[in-house]
Amino acid sequence: MTAAQQLQNIQQRIRNACLAAHRQPGEVQLLAVSKTFPVEDVLALADAGQRAFGENYLQEAVDKITQAAEQSELGKMLEWHFIGPIQSNKTRPIAEHFSWVHSVDRLKIAQRLSDQRLPDLPPLNVLVQVNTSGESSKSGVAPHEALGLCKAVAQLPHLTLRGLMTIPSNTENTTALREELLLCKKLFDSVGQTGIAVDTLSMGMSADLELAIACGSTCVRVGTALFGQRSKSSISNQG
């Protein structure tokens, strides 16, 4: 199946899920998770109309961003989202190369991203990652601390807080999964009620995007269903 056909299939799934949830299809953005896949695959999907791409691994991502811009005029226009865990010593290249960061879970990280954002670039769009599953293996701020972190991040000068992101449990228990997704939606609404103009709720991946959209997601992160299976060494639960 071609990249264009894969993209059309996912776009149709998003449309169907929106209609089933009585939502407008335009309310949900598709983020193509291109981690571990080569720049050629990114550009093929870009040629089919996709513009937003998500990456987890910093050095791979920076190389891919550079290669895409060098190989194609279209590659210069792509929107890159960093969606992986962030170490303090990696904030500068993230601040310099990305338009969005989905995985802010500490004020220290947000402060470094703000301080290191280049002055000629627009503010960096950020999402606070919430650990709705409570799993120690996952990054993210605890739900009861999310609102406070959002308020602090929203005050930083070179960032724009856009909303929340979560990676729910990797489970086939739909009831438990729904509870985690709805918890993030509740927190997202709480942030908006403080007067912070949030508009992005990043939830849902290849296997559960329909449920995530039903629970209020505005951005689904899809990798496997667009690019195919990753090698076992590269698999994680981000797409």
Side-chain angles (χ1 to χ4, degrees), residues 14 27 57-58 72 87 98 104 107 183-184 213 239:
I14 292 172
E27 294 178 22
Y57 309 122
L58 182 58
S72 164
Q87 297 173 316
F98 289 83
V104 171
L107 183 57
L183 171 58
C184 200
I213 289 171

Side-chain angles (χ1 to χ4, degrees), residues 189-198:
D189 291 341
S190 296
V191 175
Q193 288 164 5
T194 68
I196 303 172
V198 290

Side-chain angles (χ1 to χ4, degrees), residues 56-63 82 89-91 93-94 98:
N56 289 60
Y57 309 122
L58 182 58
Q59 191 55 57
E60 175 198 342
V62 171
D63 291 345
F82 190 80
N89 63 345
K90 302 292 179 65
T91 53
I94 292 173
F98 289 83

Side-chain angles (χ1 to χ4, degrees), residues 202-222:
S202 176
M203 307 192 303
M205 296 173 279
S206 295
D208 63 359
L209 70 85
E210 285 85 2
L211 180 59
I213 289 171
C215 292
S217 174
T218 71
C219 175
V220 292
R221 309 180 304 270
V222 177

Side-chain angles (χ1 to χ4, degrees), residues 134-147:
E135 296 170 281
S136 59
S137 60
K138 285 199 172 81
S139 301
V141 65
H144 70 276
E145 297 176 345
L147 185 57

Side-chain angles (χ1 to χ4, degrees), residues 166-181:
T166 194
I167 305 169
S169 302
N170 183 15
T171 177
E172 295 182 3
N173 184 334
T174 304
T175 300
L177 191 57
R178 186 187 304 274
E179 287 179 358
E180 293 176 26
L181 295 170

